[in-house]
Amino acid sequence: MVFYVNSKENNSSQEIAFFLKKCILHHPGKWSELVFLCIGSDRVTGDCLGPYIGHQLLDRLDLQDIYVYGTLKDPVHALNLEKVSRMIRSIHPQSLVIAIDASLGQKKHLGYVTIADGALYPGAGVQKELPPVGDIHITGIVNISGVLEQLTLQTTRLSTVISLADTITQGILNYTNSLICL
């Protein structure tokens, strides 16, 4: 099941926290760590959603057993995704991986966040074949899919990306802050 959250709504970060918790509870296995794998490039406006979220989380998360890969300073992208995925499985074998990436979608979903169980297929919107990653995934729909997807990502409004990133980050922080209260 895929959950859609309109990032422009007042309670969107609370909804993201709620749906993230719901997806995490579907993975009651033997995981003992959370890994946020934030995918994208800081060189393409529409693709910098993941690294920007990673940058924000790295500065604001202070819980043990929660790790962040993919930031503005050290992005995870098509050229190093497989290597970083192998490293995560090696360093964090008991982890639940939450993959985060920008995506393209229908016009009616522009500015929406999706949260779902299952792997993320990064690069699918721009016809790149990359390995699936994550146990749960979060995407921010930064622009409309159609023709010339790579150009579409390059000409995506930064304000859309920042707004989505801020909302997703706050949703994740709302979820992790609820862990402190337990």
Side-chain angles (χ1 to χ4, degrees), residues 10-52:
N10 287 335
N11 64 339
S12 57
S13 60
Q14 290 87 352
E15 281 189 65
I16 290 168
F18 174 79
F19 291 129
L20 180 57
K21 181 177 181 178
K22 192 171 183 139
C23 288
I24 288 172
L25 289 174
H26 276 110
H27 291 274
K30 297 185 180 198
W31 61 272
S32 58
E33 302 172 324
L34 273 180
V35 171
F36 289 96
L37 176 57
C38 304
I39 302 163
S41 171
D42 62 332
R43 295 175 182 250
V44 177
T45 306
D47 200 29
C48 71
L49 179 80
Y52 186 64

Side-chain angles (χ1 to χ4, degrees), residues 19-20 23-25 27 34 96-100 115-120 133-138:
F19 291 129
L20 180 57
C23 288
I24 288 172
L25 289 174
H27 291 274
L34 273 180
L96 182 68
V97 178
I98 300 169
I100 302 172
I115 305 161
D117 280 320
L120 173 74
V133 292
D135 302 299
I136 295 169
H137 65 272
I138 300 172

Side-chain angles (χ1 to χ4, degrees), residues 136-154:
I136 295 169
H137 65 272
I138 300 172
T139 66
I141 301 172
V142 298
N143 214 327
I144 301 164
S145 60
V147 294
L148 302 172
E149 282 86 359
Q150 194 62 44
L151 182 61
T152 299
L153 280 176
Q154 291 174 358

